[in-house]
Amino acid sequence: MPHITLQNSAVDKIMENDEVKRWLKDQSGRRVPYLGYFRRSYSQCHDGSMVEHGDGFALSTIDPHDPKETKGIVIEPVELTSDADILVGGHEATMSKSFSIGWSQWRFTYQPS
């Protein structure tokens, strides 16, 4: 069975987020903290130059009960603190493997186990 872990560097970064701090106080509302995996993509600027975007995780919020938001992704709870989990999600191919999430050089990282 796949196992997902948060490295201390990722936990520290998540805990700095004001929205996460507010949510941890009362854990109410439909939207919850979410680390969503994204794959490398490219975009073209107005001047015609190409910008490469890497892969990794992005911290946001999600309504796990909204089928439009959860369409095509697998979501798993991962322990953030002893009292709260954060949702981690991505495509089935990504989520079917064991991995850890860290924080390095301004981004959350995906590190297969």
Side-chain angles (χ1 to χ4, degrees):
M1 176 173 220
H3 183 70
I4 303 167
T5 56
L6 293 175
Q7 295 177 358
N8 289 339
S9 60
V11 172
D12 292 345
K13 189 62 180 174
I14 293 167
M15 298 301 284
E16 291 175 2
N17 183 282
D18 289 336
E19 285 186 42
V20 172
K21 288 178 189 177
R22 281 190 293 274
W23 180 81
L24 286 171
K25 284 183 182 177
D26 62 13
Q27 295 187 24
S28 64
R30 294 187 60 84
R31 302 199 69 77
V32 298
Y34 172 71
L35 279 173
Y37 182 76
F38 64 91
R39 293 188 188 272
R40 187 173 311 273
S41 62
Y42 301 89
S43 60
Q44 187 171 7
C45 296
H46 295 288
D47 66 2
S49 62
M50 296 297 289
V51 177
E52 180 180 340
H53 307 278
D55 58 348
F57 286 86
L59 179 62
S60 63
T61 61
I62 192 170
D63 177 350
H65 305 290
D66 184 338
K68 289 180 184 176
E69 286 191 67
T70 59
K71 183 178 182 180
I73 58 174
V74 175
I75 299 173
E76 295 292 336
V78 176
E79 184 177 290
L80 178 60
T81 69
S82 59
D83 298 329
D85 292 341
I86 188 169
L87 297 180
V88 175
H91 293 286
E92 185 176 353
T94 301
M95 299 299 289
S96 66
K97 301 172 186 162
S98 293
F99 60 91
S100 65
I101 300 169
W103 175 261
S104 177
Q105 299 180 352
W106 308 100
R107 69 183 187 105
F108 289 101
T109 59
Y110 169 80
Q111 300 165 343
S113 301

